């Protein structure tokens, strides 16, 4: 019945809630009820977190100064030219 999905004494229901909370997806109104559906949802959650973190790393690396660029910026900043 539907009560077994709300029984938190089962370790797998607890693991499901931990994975959903860790990835900050939230439980929501719609959620998978089968084990296979939960596996797909957890993989999708972690894949989404991975893609967002890769985007942040890429933007951080592309926006950082190289050594010569940093020196040129410092010189221009000292001359009050921006």
């Amino acid at each position: 019945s539907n009560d077994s999905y709300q029984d938190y004494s089962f370790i797998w229901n607890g693991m499901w809630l931990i994975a959903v909370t860790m990835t900050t997806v939230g439980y929501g109104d719609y959620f998978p009820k089968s084990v296979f559906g939960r596996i797909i949802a957890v993989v999708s959650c972690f894949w989404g977190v991975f893609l967002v973190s890769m985007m942040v790393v890429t933007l951080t690396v592309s926006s950082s100064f190289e050594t010569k660029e940093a020196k040129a910026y410092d010189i221009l900043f000292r001359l009050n030219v921006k």
Side-chain angles (χ1 to χ4, degrees):
S1 76
N2 198 15
D3 294 335
S4 66
Y5 295 110
Q6 297 297 322
D7 186 8
Y8 302 119
S9 64
F10 291 119
I11 187 71
W12 298 114
N13 287 343
M15 297 297 278
W16 161 254
L17 291 174
I18 289 170
V20 168
T21 302
M22 247 178 29
T23 56
T24 65
V25 176
Y27 202 61
D29 295 334
Y30 301 103
F31 55 93
K33 293 184 179 181
S34 68
V35 174
F36 183 70
R38 285 183 174 190
I39 290 171
I40 296 296
V42 167
V43 168
S44 298
C45 291
F46 282 110
W47 182 250
V49 169
F50 172 74
L51 289 179
V52 169
S53 65
M54 291 304 294
M55 182 183 67
V56 169
V57 167
T58 302
L59 290 174
T60 302
V61 168
S62 69
S63 66
S64 64
F65 285 143
E66 293 180 7
T67 306
K68 292 181 181 180
E69 291 172 332
K71 288 181 182 179
Y73 180 78
D74 287 339
I75 290 170
L76 289 175
F77 185 75
R78 288 181 194 153
L79 295 173
N80 288 327
V81 177
K82 291 187 180 181

